[in-house]
Amino acid sequence: KKAFAFAVPFETAPIVTAVAISTVPGTVVEVTVASVTNIGVDVWVRRTNTTATQVMVIVIGKIQADQ
């Protein structure tokens, strides 16, 4: 699990999706986002091995007006 804080807070919890980028196809079993709030998100990756994995995250929402 990796917790990420958004650089700018959102008015409400945004829509978040994530995808893994791996150099070894077929070894990423799951990528999940959890605990989404207006200030951050947790991203989980499950693999069949220990190869380093990049994760791309897309966040869609309205940022707080005073930011």
Side-chain angles (χ1 to χ4, degrees), residues 1-55:
K1 174 181 98 167
K2 175 71 175 174
F4 292 93
F6 301 133
V8 177
F10 290 85
E11 286 188 1
T12 60
I15 296 167
V16 181
T17 189
V19 62
I21 299 172
S22 174
T23 59
V24 185
T27 59
V28 176
V29 177
E30 178 181 15
V31 178
T32 302
V33 296
S35 304
V36 180
T37 68
N38 69 317
I39 60 170
V41 63
D42 292 341
V43 178
W44 294 78
V45 177
R46 186 164 64 107
R47 298 188 53 103
T48 60
N49 60 23
T50 59
T51 301
T53 304
Q54 293 181 3
V55 176

